[in-house]
Amino acid sequence: MTDEQKSFDTLEERLNARKTEYETIHVPDAAYQAVRSGIRQAARKRKSRLRWYMSSISAAALILLFTGCIRVSPAFASFVEQLPGMEGIVSMIRQDKGLMMAIDQSLLQKVGVTDEHDGTSLTVDGIITDESRMVIFYTMKGMKDPEKFNYDIDLLDENGKDLPVAFTHAYPTPSPDENVNENMIDVIFTDGTSPPEELSVVFKSRDTTSAEKWKITFPVDKNLTKGMKKVIPVNQTLTVDGQRIDVKQATLYPTRLVLDVNFDPKNTKKVFGLSDLQLVDEQGRAWRTDTSTGEDERSIYFESMYFSIPKKLTLQGSGFSGLDKKDLALSLDLKSHQITGGPPGLKMVGSKVEGKDLIIDFSVAGSMDGGFVLSFGNVTDSAGKSYEVPGSSWSSGDGTDDSHTIVSSTVENGAKLKGEVRMNISTYPMKVKSPFSLDIPVNP
């Protein structure tokens, strides 16, 4: 055995050891569904700046999702050597085939810049970026209460302005060294945005008694993936349970594949998402999707097969989550709990005030399995004033029985709401089983 092979085997042993650590973390099924639902709900808001944060238990769910059989290539080993102590993150992204192929093609930009003060440091270790996505790998040392992650993150361009992007951020991954926390920020470029010439990653303490801030600024090497976008026209229509879905095109980037679809405005149902969606090649390999952005015109994100173009690609799914459009709007009497309109079986079971917010509890038939929960776009009072509903939480069987779920929706600044309000449903856990498949012309 050569020294080089011994080095690879040793690295693989370390990675598999970290994988074992993650697999011992207990994560309730609801936690994973919370991640997916939260991402989708945030994406649909289409604000100029979206932030998707996940709880530590949700991060564990993602870790469990991505861990699997780990094999080490020379380029992959080189990547880990460039980012010492990053085995935890590496073992997570190892199952994102697109990212790992990009690493194998030497598309990782090493950064290695640190901001350190008061015994705590932030280091941006490296990034992978193209026109659609940027993944930022970083390490924090000396963080206080890492399990709480009391920090806000800003991403700034070369002019010091907020990047108009969406990004997901899991809580720090476990590390043998309790003083070291490793993680990544996954950035989506939407609405014509693209990587900046220079990026600043800023961490700010949420502690009101502290002004702690860490800022890392570095140039972004966009030449690593310049001109690598490939557009594949599709222009085909799916009909799923009577609902028309136009599949426009697939755009292939080194870090992901973006499938652009259009839900026909004449459809009788509002489609929240397609169920069990995947792309399958001629070898039976499945390329997964993690999230989507948009409403009727929607972009769905898959793992990238840029460096392993299949001979055949088929879009497959088991149906969709959706609701009749006539059931999306409802009126709710906060005093009597009476609901007018809305989907059958939806009930209000109570409400309470927490600070400036109003928490409304609903009973929903069935479970939240499948990634979609009851959520609302906004609430309007009798005077026409609109209130945001930034999030929902739920618990199965609480207050009713195991065949129902209690969903608690937070109406921001709604503590003084009285009487009747109008609400518009954004997502609902109504599943329609209707398997479908569509061939994607890889080489049109």
Side-chain angles (χ1 to χ4, degrees):
M1 182 181 295
T2 65
D3 291 341
E4 182 180 36
Q5 185 60 49
K6 289 180 180 178
S7 176
F8 294 164
D9 289 345
T10 299
L11 173 60
E12 189 169 346
E13 289 177 4
R14 298 206 313 269
L15 292 175
N16 277 306
R18 296 303 295 278
K19 172 180 175 285
T20 301
E21 292 179 21
Y22 293 131
E23 288 175 338
T24 61
I25 301 174
H26 173 68
V27 183
D29 291 340
Y32 173 57
Q33 302 302 339
V35 178
R36 297 184 64 190
S37 176
I39 288 175
R40 289 180 173 123
Q41 181 181 355
R44 275 188 292 273
K45 289 184 179 179
R46 304 289 286 172
K47 292 184 178 180
S48 62
R49 191 164 183 239
L50 308 180
R51 295 166 180 242
W52 307 329
Y53 292 103
M54 307 171 189
S55 68
S56 56
I57 198 167
S58 301
L62 289 183
I63 291 165
L64 291 175
L65 173 67
F66 290 124
T67 52
C69 179
I70 298 171
R71 295 302 304 174
V72 180
S73 70
F76 183 46
S78 174
F79 164 69
V80 179
E81 289 171 358
Q82 291 183 56
L83 306 181
M86 288 285 286
E87 294 96 334
I89 292 295
V90 172
S91 64
M92 183 172 68
I93 70 169
R94 185 66 177 97
Q95 296 309 303
D96 185 321
K97 294 185 284 291
L99 277 185
M100 296 318 303
M101 287 180 186
I103 290 170
D104 284 344
Q105 295 294 320
S106 301
L107 297 184
L108 173 77
Q109 176 188 341
K110 185 177 179 181
V111 178
V113 180
T114 301
D115 183 14
E116 182 176 5
H117 52 84
D118 299 327
T120 304
S121 68
L122 168 69
T123 300
V124 174
D125 302 286
I127 65 171
I128 300 175
T129 190
D130 53 33
E131 296 176 54
S132 174
R133 181 187 189 188
M134 175 187 290
V135 181
I136 305 167
F137 301 97
Y138 70 87
T139 302
M140 287 198 79
K141 296 182 180 180
M143 178 190 294
K144 298 177 181 178
D145 298 323
E147 70 281 358
K148 296 180 181 179
F149 198 79
N150 292 319
Y151 302 87
D152 286 321
I153 299 175
D154 288 333
L155 300 178
L156 311 177
D157 65 15
E158 59 273 14
N159 298 314
K161 295 183 178 180
D162 291 326
L163 286 180
V165 298
F167 64 87
T168 61
H169 173 254
Y171 275 29
T173 59
S175 171
D177 185 346
E178 295 182 358
N179 192 50
V180 177
N181 295 277
E182 309 150 350
N183 211 335
M184 67 184 192
I185 304 167
D186 201 341
V187 181
I188 293 178
F189 297 111
T190 59
D191 297 330
T193 58
S194 61
E197 297 294 330
E198 183 178 84
L199 177 67
S200 291
V201 180
V202 182
F203 278 59
K204 297 183 295 186
S205 173
R206 294 177 188 160
D207 186 351
T208 56
T209 63
S210 171
E212 288 183 301
K213 183 172 73 173
W214 297 261
K215 182 176 181 181
I216 300 295
T217 301
F218 55 91
V220 177
D221 186 357
K222 295 190 285 187
N223 289 325
L224 286 173
T225 56
K226 185 177 180 180
M228 296 182 74
K229 180 175 76 172
K230 297 180 181 179
V231 178
I232 303 171
V234 180
N235 297 319
Q236 298 185 60
T237 299
L238 278 168
T239 301
V240 185
D241 192 50
Q243 311 305 303
R244 284 175 52 92
I245 305 168
D246 297 322
V247 184
K248 297 297 187 181
Q249 66 179 27
T251 306
L252 193 54
Y253 301 90
T255 66
R256 65 157 42 106
L257 180 145
V258 182
L259 190 68
D260 291 323
V261 302
N262 181 51
F263 295 90
D264 193 327
K266 297 180 181 179
N267 287 341
T268 59
K269 294 181 182 292
K270 174 69 174 179
V271 178
F272 305 128
L274 301 174
S275 304
D276 303 315
L277 199 62
Q278 59 183 2
L279 291 167
V280 180
D281 67 14
E282 73 282 357
Q283 300 179 41
R285 293 181 300 178
W287 306 82
R288 304 163 308 173
T289 178
D290 53 8
T291 189
S292 64
T293 59
E295 290 287 343
D296 285 341
E297 293 185 2
R298 194 172 304 180
S299 294
I300 306 173
Y301 303 107
F302 293 84
E303 294 174 288
S304 175
M305 65 285 295
Y306 190 96
F307 298 105
S308 180
I309 302 294
K311 296 178 181 178
K312 181 182 178 181
L313 202 57
T314 303
L315 178 68
Q316 298 179 352
S318 63
F320 62 88
S321 176
L323 196 64
D324 287 341
K325 290 182 177 179
K326 63 180 178 61
D327 293 331
L328 293 174
L330 59 91
S331 295
L332 173 64
D333 190 310
L334 294 172
K335 183 178 181 180
S336 69
H337 298 178
Q338 182 69 36
I339 294 178
T340 303
L346 178 65
K347 299 178 181 179
M348 177 184 170
V349 295
S351 64
K352 61 182 177 181
V353 172
E354 288 189 359
K356 296 181 179 180
D357 301 331
L358 176 67
I359 313 297
I360 307 176
D361 295 329
F362 295 90
S363 173
V364 182
S367 71
M368 300 295 106
D369 293 341
F372 289 94
V373 302
L374 169 64
S375 63
F376 296 94
N378 65 349
V379 173
T380 306
D381 64 16
S382 57
K385 183 179 178 180
S386 184
Y387 299 80
E388 293 289 329
V389 187
S392 298
S393 61
W394 67 93
S395 57
S396 297
D398 186 12
T400 52
D401 55 65
D402 291 338
S403 65
H404 291 75
T405 300
I406 297 300
V407 179
S408 300
S409 298
T410 301
V411 182
E412 198 170 58
N413 297 316
K416 295 182 179 181
L417 280 172
K418 304 290 182 182
E420 187 174 279
V421 297
R422 295 190 60 82
M423 308 182 74
N424 292 289
I425 294 175
S426 296
T427 60
Y428 197 79
M430 182 71 74
K431 298 179 185 178
V432 177
K433 290 291 184 181
S434 182
F436 61 88
S437 65
L438 179 71
D439 290 338
I440 303 295
V442 180
N443 295 297

